Amino acid sequence: MRSLADLSESNTPDRMRASISLMRKPPKGVFPPIFFNKDRSVDLSVIIPVYNVENYLAECLNALLIPDAGFSYEVIAVDDGSTDSSGDILNSYARSYGNLRVLRLRNAGVAAARNRGIELSKGKWIAFVDPDDIVSLDGLKRMMDAAVAARVDYAVASYRTIDESGLTTGTVRELVYSNLSVAWGAVYRSEIWETLRFPEGCWYEDTIIRYLVWPRFKGLSIPEVVYRYRQRAESIVSSTEGDPRGLDYFWITEIVIEEGASKEVPIDRLARLTLRRMGPTMLFCSEVLDRTQMRFLFLQCSEIIKGFPQICTDGTYWQELEAALRLRDYKRWLWCCLAIALDEDLNGAKRAWVLLLSN
């Protein structure tokens, strides 16, 4: 096996990126032009991107469409080109509920569906709900009230996992406002979305929450279970392994670093967020790469980290991983990824072990 020095000397950064791009091209122009509706005449807008969820959609809508809620709200369901009966279900509910607005798209993806919902929204507050999950309207109201009372920009709550049939599968899991990595399970002041949209045409669109919401706005967590998250076999989280689109985990990292810098996110926060993405999850999401391409990706990650000042001084595995990236020590990085994956119960341990055995 050629050393990293040999690989980097005979391959320029552009050539290394091109090799990775053979498996998955980096997305371009992911942030659409922004149109923001100045009409904020209702208290809350709930945005639901819908695609082929006929078995779960009615349960989701039933929890949200409540008569005499005590405050003004709207539900915006964006049908992203469903080929099952999801569209018919939406039409049926829209005939019965005047505050349900339905929009049709031609299969543009979750991010595009959410973005169109934002454009249509009239709420002073905005929440995103996945169509196979369940959240009560009262729960969203409690988060909204807590955020208003604390004068913060967003609020998050705990959630419980359920299986495809709706049965509880796990214990309560807390969403922490300062470590939020998903769009659901929270309510946001509409002003957050005046200059922000989800990146379209790629996976991991929720990356913007961690990079562009938490570092720039004030939040809080409430100690209540509000959201029920359904675990399905065909979800992106479940289907990443071996899929070229998993490489979007790397490409979107580059994109949000640049976007964060343009929005004046503090450099220390950008650095810490980025280091967390350069560990075992990066390995897991890049399984489609062969051994040489994986080394190329490692070198690309190394260059990103070297662009930041020192990040970790806490004596943890993450400090060791940062050192391995700065020194371009691939084997040491793999060992750190393995240790972190096992210690924090993250995906990527198997991939790290396989690469160490073949190194």
Side-chain angles (χ1 to χ4, degrees):
M1 175 65 65
R2 299 168 66 192
S3 68
L4 283 183
D6 292 337
L7 286 170
S8 59
E9 287 176 6
S10 59
N11 292 275
T12 65
D14 286 344
R15 286 181 178 177
M16 287 188 280
R17 288 175 64 83
S19 178
I20 299 168
S21 299
L22 289 174
M23 304 305 299
R24 173 70 168 172
K25 292 183 179 180
K28 302 290 186 181
V30 297
F31 291 108
I34 289 180
F35 169 78
F36 189 74
N37 186 358
K38 295 297 183 180
D39 178 4
R40 297 287 127 186
S41 55
V42 299
D43 294 320
L44 174 67
S45 294
V46 183
I47 298 172
I48 311 175
V50 175
Y51 181 73
N52 288 357
V53 283
E54 60 184 4
N55 294 330
Y56 315 108
L57 184 55
E59 192 173 13
C60 176
L61 294 173
N62 288 338
L64 292 168
L65 294 168
I66 305 297
D68 303 321
F71 67 103
S72 59
Y73 75 100
E74 63 180 356
V75 176
I76 303 174
V78 184
D79 183 5
D80 190 31
S82 295
T83 57
D84 64 1
S85 64
S86 295
D88 295 333
I89 294 171
L90 290 175
N91 290 338
S92 176
Y93 273 80
R95 287 191 291 268
S96 301
Y97 296 93
N99 60 339
L100 171 61
R101 304 163 68 189
V102 178
L103 176 67
R104 313 287 180 184
L105 291 184
R106 189 178 297 177
N107 198 213
V110 172
R114 286 178 179 164
N115 287 340
R116 299 299 88 77
I118 294 170
E119 291 176 0
L120 284 176
S121 68
K122 296 181 181 180
K124 299 178 181 68
W125 292 82
I126 292 175
F128 303 99
V129 176
D130 286 350
D132 49 356
D133 296 338
I134 305 169
V135 58
S136 69
L137 187 65
D138 181 63
L140 294 177
K141 176 69 162 52
R142 292 198 301 274
M143 284 194 286
M144 190 169 62
D145 288 345
V148 171
R151 297 183 179 181
V152 298
D153 302 301
Y154 67 100
V156 304
S158 300
Y159 71 98
R160 191 186 299 275
T161 57
I162 58 176
D163 64 16
E164 297 195 19
S165 66
L167 296 176
T168 299
T169 60
T171 57
V172 172
R173 300 185 184 184
E174 182 181 5
L175 286 177
V176 181
Y177 78 91
S178 60
N179 194 33
L180 189 63
S181 60
V182 292
W184 51 264
V187 295
Y188 309 85
R189 285 191 189 275
S190 61
E191 288 83 358
I192 288 177
W193 303 99
E194 285 188 10
T195 59
L196 184 62
R197 289 295 182 270
F198 290 95
E200 299 181 11
C202 58
W203 277 7
Y204 309 108
E205 64 278 341
D206 284 359
T207 304
I208 63 162
I209 301 297
R210 181 166 286 181
Y211 269 83
L212 303 178
V213 173
W214 164 67
R216 300 166 60 222
F217 300 96
K218 295 180 179 179
L220 64 78
S221 303
I222 66 172
E224 298 182 40
V225 178
V226 167
Y227 203 94
R228 282 183 283 171
Y229 172 76
R230 195 182 308 267
Q231 294 181 311
R232 296 169 57 201
E234 63 267 34
S235 69
I236 286 180
V237 173
S238 303
S239 61
T240 295
E241 192 172 5
D243 193 309
R245 289 172 293 182
L247 290 174
D248 285 350
Y249 189 82
F250 173 75
W251 299 127
I252 200 65
T253 302
E254 289 191 325
I255 290 169
V256 293
I257 290 172
E258 182 177 351
E259 190 72 9
S262 72
K263 295 184 182 300
E264 300 183 347
V265 174
I267 188 72
D268 61 323
R269 291 191 172 186
L270 280 179
R272 287 188 173 277
L273 290 169
T274 301
L275 180 63
R276 292 286 304 186
R277 295 179 69 84
M278 298 301 175
T281 306
M282 183 69 72
L283 268 179
F284 176 74
C285 294
S286 56
E287 184 167 333
V288 70
L289 299 180
D290 63 28
R291 286 182 295 173
T292 298
Q293 290 170 325
M294 190 63 237
R295 287 167 171 251
F296 286 164
L297 182 63
F298 166 76
L299 290 171
Q300 296 290 299
C301 293
S302 173
E303 290 305 306
I304 290 174
I305 292 300
K306 287 163 67 176
F308 292 112
Q310 185 175 0
I311 302 167
C312 280
T313 57
D314 53 9
T316 64
Y317 289 129
W318 286 105
Q319 183 176 344
E320 283 294 309
L321 184 135
E322 179 187 356
L325 286 163
R326 293 187 182 278
L327 296 171
R328 305 174 81 178
D329 189 334
Y330 181 60
K331 189 171 183 179
R332 182 179 176 184
W333 178 70
L334 290 176
W335 277 115
C336 289
C337 286
L338 177 61
I340 291 169
L342 295 175
D343 184 55
E344 300 185 13
D345 193 25
L346 301 175
N347 290 319
K350 177 182 175 182
R351 173 77 163 150
W353 184 244
V354 168
L355 289 170
L356 279 166
L357 290 176
S358 62
N359 187 50

